[in-house]
Each structure stands twice: as structure tokens, then as C-alpha cells.
Amino acid sequence: MSRFAAQTARVEIAPSCSMLHVPIDLRMETVLDPDIRSWLAFAAQKTDELLVLAGPYPKAEMLWQAS
């Protein structure tokens, strides 16, 4: 196993906060001011960001499933 592979085997990613009380999807919020919308990330957007971070790791395992 290469040194890089050994180091990346221990990488874990997670959201910076619990998503228990986070609204589900920013795309569903149609009446928000566009300037404010650009600052927000709801659960769906946070999950997308995690997938981007996990992208470089070929054996990344997702611990959640889309329902």
C-alpha cells in the first residue's frame, strides 16, 4: 500500500453541523431574496458539497442514502 493510500484510508468527511433541524432543499424556497439565497445551503446542498469533497477518494463509502 502506498503512503498516500494509507493516509487517505483514514479520511472522514462530515457536515460541520447536524442537519437534523436544517431545511431540506434551497431549491424549494422560491420567495427568498436572491442575495440571501446565495449565502444559504440547506441539507441537499450540504450533501452535494460532501459528495464533491469525497470525489477524489475512489473507495469513499456513503453512510446515507437518498430517500
Side-chain angles (χ1 to χ4, degrees):
M1 179 182 289
S2 73
R3 182 175 177 200
F4 178 75
Q7 291 173 343
T8 59
R10 295 188 304 260
V11 173
E12 294 182 22
I13 62 167
S16 60
C17 62
S18 169
M19 290 196 278
L20 181 63
H21 300 292
V22 175
I24 296 173
D25 195 345
L26 183 58
R27 293 173 290 213
M28 297 171 68
E29 301 297 328
T30 58
V31 295
L32 288 175
D33 183 316
D35 291 331
I36 295 173
R37 280 178 60 94
S38 67
W39 290 39
L40 301 176
F42 291 2
Q45 289 72 40
K46 291 176 184 284
T47 302
D48 291 343
E49 292 169 358
L50 292 174
L51 291 172
V52 168
L53 291 173
Y57 303 101
K59 293 185 178 180
E61 294 182 24
M62 297 299 134
L63 299 179
W64 67 86
Q65 295 179 0
S67 52

